[in-house]
Amino acid sequence: MDIQRWSKIAWGVGLALLIAAPFLGVYPIFMIKALCFAIFACAFNLLLGYTGLLSFGHAAYLGAAAYVTGWLVRSAGFSPELGILAGALSGTVLGAIVGFIAIRRQGIYFAMITLAMAQMIYFVWLQAPFTGGEDGLQGVPRGTLFGLIPLQSDLVMYFVVLAAFVGVFLGVVRIVHSPYGQVLKAIRENEPRAISLGYDVDKYKLLAFVLSTTLAGLAGALKTVALGFATLSDAHWSLSGEVVLMTLLGGMGTFAGPVVGAFTIIGLQNFLADRVGSWVTVIIGVIFVVCVVGFRRGFVGELLAWLRRRQPKQP
């Protein structure tokens, strides 16, 4: 059986497990949080795994969307779908501004510009009066989706987030397999050669950056509506480090890798938080080191490499 067929079977099994999870005793709020971060990790993987751009400030866009959505839904009376749309658009606008500045640089210079801009955005959320400062933005109502679907039930909210996750996942797959996605991979592999072929590399990279920040904004908006609050931790630099960890742990440049990485990290944080306290960061750090040393392709990347080695060689 070839890898593509194995992948389709795995995706089908994974979707079935996600649908059945709340009915198998898994806490819906945990699943909602994990799915939101899975969307965030997929967005980051589109930038790092398929374009080769390392952003150290991606939490800025999730945090911006979280605050925008939270304020509009709680204080301005927006419906949840409009609040989520506005949050995603805030990620688009911020991504376009930061990307226009940063995309002209490469490597560590690009990464440091994204980190610096993210810290500036974080300071805005810390000082702005409507964000609640260190207390965060509390009491965001879920409301009624499209005026038809009440979101007060955790189960209903879970399936709304699951539908958004499936849409994002399929959208990323479509982008990567499109001609545009092939150009992105060409830029990742050999940017000078892509330039020599006549591609406007900066334009392609900027669009990839904006697409990634838009999806990151969607993750932040969904998280705020589902959990009912937005805090400074949503925009902190440490969250930018966590999404890098999720992507590398699961498998950079694979579709399922960021999802596996997100569920692994969020699961460990929830399982270990009450047992080891602040040591949870140390344990996750050790796991990351072990993964980098022993599984450099990540969980999914190593599995795909093993399957390729087992395939019969073509004559």
Side-chain angles (χ1 to χ4, degrees):
M1 188 181 294
D2 60 19
I3 295 178
Q4 287 188 346
R5 185 172 296 180
W6 275 114
S7 298
K8 291 179 181 178
I9 292 173
W11 291 352
V13 172
L15 180 59
L17 288 174
L18 289 175
I19 293 173
F23 306 106
L24 297 176
V26 183
Y27 192 38
I29 293 297
F30 162 75
M31 293 297 295
I32 288 171
K33 184 178 178 182
L35 283 175
C36 289
F37 280 103
I39 294 174
F40 187 32
C42 286
F44 183 77
N45 186 51
L46 179 63
L47 188 65
L48 177 62
Y50 293 104
T51 314
L53 296 175
L54 175 59
S55 168
F56 277 151
H58 239 53
Y61 315 107
L62 183 144
Y67 278 116
V68 168
T69 298
W71 185 83
L72 289 176
V73 172
R74 190 193 72 171
S75 301
F78 274 44
S79 61
E81 67 274 9
L82 290 179
I84 291 169
L85 178 61
L89 288 176
S90 70
T92 304
V93 173
L94 273 179
I97 295 171
V98 175
F100 182 78
I101 297 171
I103 214 71
R104 304 171 188 274
R105 297 292 179 263
Q106 297 178 350
I108 191 64
Y109 301 104
F110 172 85
M112 288 298 101
I113 291 174
T114 59
L115 177 59
M117 297 295 289
Q119 287 301 98
M120 293 170 59
I121 296 169
Y122 173 83
F123 183 75
V124 171
W125 303 134
L126 178 62
Q127 297 296 324
F130 74 92
T131 63
E134 295 182 356
D135 295 328
L137 194 65
Q138 308 289 336
V140 179
R142 290 182 179 177
T144 304
L145 190 67
F146 301 115
L148 299 171
I149 307 173
L151 299 178
Q152 282 70 33
S153 168
D154 289 342
L155 188 62
V156 173
M157 189 73 239
Y158 169 73
F159 281 108
V160 169
V161 174
L162 177 60
F165 163 74
V166 172
V168 168
F169 186 87
L170 294 178
V172 170
V173 172
R174 182 68 187 92
I175 290 171
V176 172
H177 285 154
S178 69
Y180 169 72
Q182 299 306 307
V183 175
L184 290 183
K185 288 192 281 189
I187 293 171
R188 178 195 64 189
E189 297 297 331
N190 194 329
E191 185 172 332
R193 186 175 182 181
I195 294 173
S196 70
L197 292 173
Y199 292 108
D200 189 342
V201 169
D202 286 348
K203 186 183 296 184
Y204 279 90
K205 291 196 294 185
L206 178 59
L207 179 55
F209 190 85
V210 173
L211 285 171
S212 179
T213 60
T214 300
L215 295 179
L218 175 62
L222 286 169
K223 179 175 174 290
T224 295
V225 170
L227 302 185
F229 59 86
T231 65
L232 285 174
S233 61
D234 293 330
H236 196 260
W237 65 266
S238 60
L239 184 57
S240 297
E242 282 185 19
V243 76
V244 175
L245 175 58
M246 292 173 187
T247 305
L248 295 179
L249 193 65
M252 182 181 67
T254 64
F255 294 118
V259 181
V260 173
F263 271 84
T264 301
I265 296 302
I266 299 302
L268 284 172
Q269 288 176 345
N270 279 266
F271 179 76
L272 297 174
D274 295 335
R275 293 167 172 81
V276 298
S278 59
W279 281 90
V280 64
T281 55
V282 177
I283 295 173
I284 292 176
V286 171
I287 293 172
F288 177 59
V289 171
V290 171
C291 178
V292 170
V293 173
F295 308 94
R296 299 191 65 181
R297 299 184 183 93
F299 297 147
V300 175
E302 290 292 344
L303 176 60
L304 290 175
W306 179 76
L307 289 174
R308 290 190 188 99
R309 288 195 299 269
R310 289 184 58 85
Q311 277 190 317
K313 294 183 179 180
Q314 297 294 333

